[in-house]
Amino acid sequence: MTVAELIKKAVVNKQLTRAQANALLRHNGQHHSEGHMLFMLKHMFEKHLTFGEAHQRAIKAVGK
């Protein structure tokens, strides 16, 4: 399953808002690794972090 499919599934399951999903989908098109994106996605819906907080933690933990 791709990152984009996981993001869409999280919206359907009401784990993310549409705005959060759109931000993640735009972010996914940039130069970030799949690990970075999965880390952000997981922390946004499990720990209820904002996009910015999840991004900063992903940079520190996984890198770009």
Side-chain angles (χ1 to χ4, degrees):
M1 189 173 259
T2 66
V3 173
E5 290 170 336
L6 290 172
I7 292 168
K8 290 174 186 172
K9 187 175 179 180
V11 172
V12 170
N13 293 335
K14 300 195 186 296
Q15 294 170 315
L16 292 176
T17 65
R18 173 56 59 196
Q20 289 173 318
N22 288 338
L24 281 169
L25 289 170
R26 281 192 312 272
H27 195 63
N28 189 29
Q30 295 178 356
H31 58 275
H32 294 292
S33 68
E34 184 175 352
H36 174 95
M37 294 304 301
L38 291 174
F39 186 94
M40 282 188 68
L41 180 61
K42 181 178 178 185
H43 281 73
M44 283 177 77
F45 69 73
E46 285 183 0
K47 298 191 179 196
H48 306 288
L49 297 180
T50 65
F51 179 87
E53 291 169 337
H55 180 68
Q56 289 303 318
R57 290 187 187 187
I59 290 288
K60 287 181 183 176
V62 181
K64 288 194 173 202

